[in-house]
Amino acid sequence: NAHKGVSPPFFAGKESAQAARRAVLKSLDMPYVHDTEVPLIRLINRPVTADRVIVNADDIGIFLARNLSCKFRFEHVQQQGKSLREQVSLFAEPDVVVLMHGQVEANLVWMKPGALLI
């Protein structure tokens, strides 16, 4: 063993993923769970100049407002150009995340327990 008996940390399974999430959030001085009275639905989009973009993102917010029976906040944001802390926050805060399939999904690990992905 090149590490002379010292194993690198290994994360496997739900419990260790939550432990890793908790450790990163703590190092960024962010709460583990963002509790809010009004649920937050956040649509995370690519820049308008990207090849694949959710072109009707604002219409989705309007549709939800007309068809959901509960109060909620809706945010339409772009991920590009965000710092690590800002990226973690984009996923750690909302109760529902709406996004297009792609590498941005690597940030799903920051979602709070029980949050939904669309």
Side-chain angles (χ1 to χ4, degrees), residues 17-118:
Q18 289 174 356
R21 179 183 184 274
R22 190 179 308 272
V24 170
L25 291 173
K26 184 177 180 180
S27 74
L28 293 172
D29 196 28
M30 298 173 69
Y32 181 68
V33 175
H34 295 265
D35 288 325
T36 57
E37 291 182 25
V38 179
L40 172 59
I41 300 173
R42 182 172 285 156
L43 188 146
I44 302 172
N45 210 354
R46 295 182 172 118
V48 178
T49 57
D51 291 337
R52 295 182 306 153
V53 64
I54 301 173
V55 294
N56 63 337
D58 293 327
D59 293 336
I60 292 171
I62 293 168
F63 174 84
L64 293 173
R66 289 181 181 158
N67 293 285
L68 288 180
S69 60
C70 65
K71 290 186 177 186
F72 65 92
R73 294 178 297 137
F74 178 80
E75 293 180 357
H76 175 203
V77 299
Q78 291 185 7
Q79 185 192 17
Q80 184 173 344
K82 304 282 191 243
S83 69
L84 173 62
R85 188 178 206 298
E86 290 169 327
Q87 288 182 54
V88 171
S89 181
L90 282 179
F91 286 84
E93 294 173 350
D95 301 283
V96 178
V97 172
V98 180
L99 54 81
M100 184 178 288
H101 175 74
Q103 67 186 24
V104 69
E105 290 175 307
N107 288 299
L108 298 180
V109 69
W110 310 126
M111 291 176 67
K112 63 184 171 185
L116 300 175
L117 170 66
I118 299 175

Side-chain angles (χ1 to χ4, degrees), residues 7-20:
S7 297
F10 178 74
F11 297 105
K14 181 180 176 181
E15 292 78 20
S16 57
Q18 289 174 356

